[in-house]
Amino acid sequence: MGKMAQKLEDIKRLIGKLQQQQPENIKNFLNFMTSVEKEGALSTKQKELVNVGLAVAAQCEWCIALHVKGALDSGASKEEILESAMQAVLMHGGPALMYMTPVEEALDEFAQ
């Protein structure tokens, strides 16, 4: 299993634990997430591209893995994903630039 696939497994494991330890809170969070991620004025692909940029800005490798995979699964190209990630670099500078590393890792791992 690659590093980014392991990040996705980490997310699943965390949510499973929280469903046991904090069932009401995680249920409410997951319901909110499902509601916000539904297609509306923005397509799923567009929302995933926004989320890639936000994940880089937040410097969250788990979020990067999740949303690069989501963007690819929704039909985004590598170029679209990289441009979305670079928007975070524009707004957040050097530290965000360093998080292009896990974006590249996720693209290499999931875009096969």
Side-chain angles (χ1 to χ4, degrees), residues 22-72:
Q22 292 285 309
E24 190 66 25
N25 289 330
I26 196 65
K27 176 184 167 209
N28 290 335
F29 176 79
L30 293 173
N31 285 340
F32 176 65
M33 184 177 71
T34 299
S35 174
V36 171
E37 289 183 340
K38 285 182 185 172
E39 288 215 15
L42 296 176
S43 68
T44 299
K45 175 182 159 183
Q46 290 169 318
K47 288 182 178 192
E48 287 295 349
L49 290 169
V50 168
N51 288 338
V52 167
L54 292 170
V56 171
Q59 301 176 350
C60 175
E61 290 188 38
W62 293 267
C63 303
I64 290 169
L66 181 66
H67 294 296
V68 167
K69 177 120 175 44
L72 288 167

Side-chain angles (χ1 to χ4, degrees):
M1 176 179 303
K3 177 183 175 183
M4 290 296 150
Q6 183 59 54
K7 298 273 184 210
L8 297 179
E9 288 301 314
D10 292 347
I11 293 168
K12 288 179 189 174
R13 186 173 42 257
L14 174 63
I15 289 174
K17 284 183 178 180
L18 291 173
Q19 285 172 325
Q20 297 297 314
Q21 299 167 350
Q22 292 285 309
E24 190 66 25
N25 289 330
I26 196 65
K27 176 184 167 209
N28 290 335
F29 176 79
L30 293 173
N31 285 340
F32 176 65
M33 184 177 71
T34 299
S35 174
V36 171
E37 289 183 340
K38 285 182 185 172
E39 288 215 15
L42 296 176
S43 68
T44 299
K45 175 182 159 183
Q46 290 169 318
K47 288 182 178 192
E48 287 295 349
L49 290 169
V50 168
N51 288 338
V52 167
L54 292 170
V56 171
Q59 301 176 350
C60 175
E61 290 188 38
W62 293 267
C63 303
I64 290 169
L66 181 66
H67 294 296
V68 167
K69 177 120 175 44
L72 288 167
D73 290 349
S74 65
S77 68
K78 180 177 180 178
E79 293 76 20
E80 289 172 313
I81 292 167
L82 290 171
E83 280 191 28
S84 296
M86 286 301 294
Q87 293 304 302
V89 174
L90 171 66
M91 299 303 293
H92 289 272
L97 181 63
M98 298 304 101
Y99 279 83
M100 292 296 291
T101 300
V103 170
E104 286 286 344
E105 290 172 348
L107 282 168
D108 289 345
E109 191 171 320
F110 296 136
Q112 304 204 23

